[in-house]
């Protein structure tokens, strides 16, 4: 007999995998599109509700498959319309997703991993260490849930018209997805690629490639492979204008330095069929990477690299001694880049009221002094350690991670369309 655990989760099957599933059952591949529409467009999680599929076939499907979603354990709604949900995943840890409504679009920031192995010095998720890769169902399930929840709140579809001026197919509250929640999406490559394909699949969510953004800290070999799997938009977490500083902030830079990273990103962008440019993300940390000289250096670094720049004022959290820069230093930094010819956006802080709840969630972890001490010890030990950085996903024990919830700012001031002409 098939056990519950052994059943295939249809929530996580991309179109080709769903087709293979039906072929395996001895059925026609068109059943795959039907099933995707039921799950992702009509929000059905009960195979018996798929009324255009015959009862015998539904029985056959049920004997080997089911539709399983991650659980939402907490919900926060801001007065400005933003929402945040805490999502429990199968590894028994929690991740978060955030919805930010803006004029003409609704952006969902989703997570790809519980925790992250890359340990960027300014990132709460990095302090947690790595716990698990989310499954395809857990990644796409975030989008499924957000659309259901938002529709339930009466949130209207944000995108009534597609880019070619035709009415959008199946418009829903979430019109844009950014993979900027917890985790490094390119270290959960296969699952993220399948989830992206569902986001962009007409039979599922039908989001355009301009409206789905992968954010990466720079896993170069994965960026090099990306074009064979997707044509989603790309955001690159740079955070520093030179290798010396970036090595400190984004340790993966020791393995894949800036020059290699920019070369790899250019390769991906050049392979796209349109003239999209990547977004360079730059978290501004007071006294660390926010000097005028850094802005000038960044302008020179990127002069032959078509891109847009998104400045993100650092969001403080309890395990970090870094500070948020003053608004004048953010605006000076922005001005220097702007004068150099770049299109620059600055992340505006949204959802202050649920941001307070967000701080409390970080606090849960901040109170874990044993962990925070361990982190400091590890940081000290690392200083004297000249070993080459390796992209390893260090896993904490379930007991260490279970029930801990992390939170981070919503870095969603992302627009990816107009190229810029630098004049440096
Ligand atoms: N791992 C991927 C995607 C998740 S992080 C990446 O690094 O790109 C998404 C963004 O959140 C990154 O650009 C990172 O710079 C930003 N971020 C992380 N911690 C932050 C903090 N404390 N304040 C502001 N931005 C932060
Ligand atoms: Fe991981 Fe991104 Fe955080 Fe770095 S910034 S630790 S890559 S989630």
């Amino acid at each position: 007999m098939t056990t519950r655990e052994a059943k295939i989760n249809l929530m996580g099957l991309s179109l080709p995998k769903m087709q293979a599933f039906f072929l395996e059952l001895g059925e026609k591949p068109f059943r795959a599109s039907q099933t995707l529409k039921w799950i992702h467009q009509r929000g059905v999680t009960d195979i018996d509700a798929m009324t255009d599929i015959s009862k015998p076939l539904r029985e056959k499907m049920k004997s080997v498959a089911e539709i399983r979603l991650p659980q939402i354990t907490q919900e926060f709604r801001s007065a400005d319309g933003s929402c945040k949900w805490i999502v429990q995943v199968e590894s028994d840890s929690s991740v978060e997703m955030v919805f930010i409504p803006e004029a003409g679009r609704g952006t969902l920031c989703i997570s790809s991993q519980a925790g992250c192995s890359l340990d960027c010095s300014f990132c709460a998720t990095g302090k947690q260490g790595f716990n698990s890769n989310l499954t395809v169902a857990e990644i796409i399930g975030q989008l499924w849930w957000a659309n259901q929840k938002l529709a339930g709140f009466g949130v209207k579809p944000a995108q009534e018209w597609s880019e070619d001026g035709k009415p959008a197919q199946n418009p829903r509250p979430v019109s844009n997805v950014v993979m900027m929640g917890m985790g490094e999406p390119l270290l959960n490559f296969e699952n993220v690629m399948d989830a992206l394909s569902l986001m962009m699949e007409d039979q599922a969510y039908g989001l355009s490639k301009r409206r789905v953004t992968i954010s990466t800290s720079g896993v170069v070999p994965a960026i090099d492979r990306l074009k064979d799997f997707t044509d989603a938009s790309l955001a690159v977490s740079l955070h520093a204008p030179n290798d010396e500083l970036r090595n400190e902030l984004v340790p993966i830079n020791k393995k894949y330095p800036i020059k290699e990273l920019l070369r790899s990103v250019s390769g991906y962008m050049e392979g796209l069929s349109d003239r999209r440019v990547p977004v360079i993300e730059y978290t501004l940390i007071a006294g660390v990477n926010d000097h005028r000289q850094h802005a000038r250096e960044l302008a020179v670094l990127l002069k032959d690299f078509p891109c847009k720049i998104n400045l993100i004022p650092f969001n403080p959290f309890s395990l970090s001694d870094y500070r948020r820069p003053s608004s004048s230093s953010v605006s000076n930094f922005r001005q220097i880049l702007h004068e150099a010819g770049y299109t620059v956006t600055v992340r505006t802080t949204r959802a202050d009221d649920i941001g307070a709840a967000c701080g409390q969630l970080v606090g849960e972890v901040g109170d874990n002094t044993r962990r925070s001490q361990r982190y400091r010890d590890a940081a000290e030990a690392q200083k004297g350690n000249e070993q080459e950085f390796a992209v390893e996903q260090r896993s904490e024990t379930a007991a260490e991670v279970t029930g801990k919830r992390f939170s981070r700012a919503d870095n969603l001031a992302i627009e990816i369309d107009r190229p810029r002409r630098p004049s440096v």
Side-chain angles (χ1 to χ4, degrees):
M1 203 181 95
T2 319
T3 62
R4 188 182 186 280
E5 284 68 34
K7 284 192 174 178
I8 295 167
N9 186 3
L10 300 182
M11 177 58 67
L13 297 191
S14 60
L15 178 60
K17 288 188 178 152
M18 191 72 89
Q19 287 168 338
F21 167 77
F22 280 104
L23 281 175
E24 188 87 353
L25 290 186
E27 296 290 329
K28 294 265 163 24
F30 80 91
R31 296 291 183 198
S33 316
Q34 263 180 317
T35 308
L36 284 188
K37 281 185 187 159
W38 278 112
I39 298 174
H40 299 288
Q41 298 187 355
R42 298 183 190 145
V44 158
T45 54
D46 176 6
I47 293 175
D48 272 329
M50 302 180 176
T51 49
D52 58 2
I53 296 180
S54 71
K55 192 148 193 307
L57 175 51
R58 278 185 268 147
E59 291 302 325
K60 204 174 359 165
M61 288 165 71
K62 280 183 345 192
S63 69
V64 290
E66 61 186 348
I67 301 168
R68 243 178 11 251
L69 279 161
Q71 294 305 305
I72 304 281
T73 54
Q74 276 177 284
E75 175 170 279
F76 305 87
R77 290 178 68 183
S78 159
D80 72 8
S82 305
C83 303
K84 186 170 74 179
W85 294 277
I86 308 298
V87 183
Q88 180 148 26
V89 294
E90 279 173 13
S91 61
D92 210 18
S93 43
S94 296
V95 297
E96 67 171 31
M97 59 167 170
V98 180
F99 174 74
I100 307 276
E102 290 165 293
R105 67 180 169 185
T107 303
L108 185 69
C109 172
I110 67 181
S111 295
S112 56
Q113 299 183 307
C116 181
S117 60
L118 294 184
D119 207 11
C120 299
S121 62
F122 50 84
C123 174
T125 306
K127 300 279 185 267
Q128 183 181 17
F130 173 74
N131 187 35
S132 68
N133 276 331
L134 301 198
T135 63
V136 183
E138 288 166 346
I139 300 168
I140 203 69
Q142 296 172 60
L143 178 55
W144 188 98
W145 268 122
N147 276 318
Q148 296 292 320
K149 292 272 183 188
L150 293 163
F153 301 157
V155 175
K156 296 270 173 292
Q159 177 209 4
E160 297 289 354
W161 299 88
S162 63
E163 278 133 17
D164 58 8
K166 294 188 191 133
Q169 290 182 333
N170 301 296
R172 271 161 290 210
V174 176
S175 63
N176 294 52
V177 174
V178 291
M179 305 237 35
M180 291 187 188
M182 291 170 67
E184 167 51 54
L186 297 186
L187 288 182
N188 183 11
F189 196 85
E190 267 86 39
N191 292 349
V192 166
M193 292 307 121
D194 276 7
L196 291 175
S197 83
L198 280 167
M199 290 172 203
M200 296 193 268
E201 170 55 57
D202 282 346
Q203 316 298 325
Y205 297 89
L207 299 179
S208 102
K209 56 197 174 191
R210 289 173 168 265
R211 293 178 179 271
V212 176
T213 302
I214 305 165
S215 175
T216 180
S217 57
V219 188
V220 165
I223 301 171
D224 287 342
R225 295 167 69 202
L226 204 53
K227 61 176 182 315
D228 298 329
F229 296 85
T230 189
D231 56 359
S233 299
L234 197 59
V236 180
S237 295
L238 193 67
H239 309 310
N242 60 60
D243 283 324
E244 198 187 349
L245 185 52
R246 193 165 192 266
N247 285 347
E248 243 178 69
L249 303 179
V250 186
I252 196 177
N253 193 70
K254 293 178 199 160
K255 184 141 179 127
Y256 307 117
I258 293 175
K259 197 167 161 217
E260 264 187 61
L261 172 60
L262 297 183
R263 191 252 329 128
S264 171
V265 172
S266 295
Y268 176 70
M269 301 314 298
E270 280 157 17
L272 299 179
S273 59
D274 53 5
R275 296 181 39 180
R276 257 175 299 158
V277 296
V279 169
I280 294 293
E281 293 170 274
Y282 195 105
T283 296
L284 285 165
I285 308 167
V288 174
N289 65 354
D290 67 336
H291 300 150
R292 290 164 190 268
Q293 186 47 34
H294 293 128
R296 290 188 203 105
E297 210 181 330
L298 185 64
V300 173
L301 176 74
L302 299 174
K303 71 180 180 357
D304 297 320
F305 184 82
C307 63
K308 294 180 70 174
I309 300 172
N310 184 220
L311 301 177
I312 312 168
F314 172 68
N315 179 52
F317 59 95
S318 59
L319 287 183
S320 174
D321 296 332
Y322 287 149
R323 287 171 298 111
R324 196 183 180 92
S326 66
S327 49
S328 65
S329 102
V330 174
S331 94
N332 290 339
F333 202 95
R334 180 185 186 282
Q335 190 58 26
I336 290 168
L337 292 169
H338 180 72
E339 279 166 14
Y342 292 90
T343 302
V344 191
T345 49
V346 178
R347 191 203 74 199
T348 48
T349 305
R350 296 283 303 264
D352 272 354
D353 47 353
I354 58 174
C358 171
Q360 283 159 10
L361 291 172
V362 171
E364 277 184 46
V365 175
D367 288 342
N368 183 344
T369 47
R370 193 173 56 84
R371 169 175 296 176
S372 101
Q373 187 55 50
R374 197 184 54 201
Y375 180 81
R376 289 193 194 100
D377 292 348
E380 276 305 310
Q382 213 173 15
K383 277 185 199 158
N385 182 353
E386 295 300 304
Q387 267 179 1
E388 195 198 355
F389 179 88
V391 186
E392 273 171 15
Q393 310 214 35
R394 64 192 155 77
S395 183
E396 303 198 35
T397 66
E400 283 175 316
V401 181
T402 301
K404 301 297 175 208
R405 296 180 184 118
F406 271 78
S407 190
R408 196 188 41 238
D410 28 314
N411 308 314
L412 303 174
I414 286 282
E415 288 167 25
I416 307 179
D417 29 39
R418 285 165 296 150
R420 54 78 184 160
R421 293 271 165 276
S423 58
V424 248

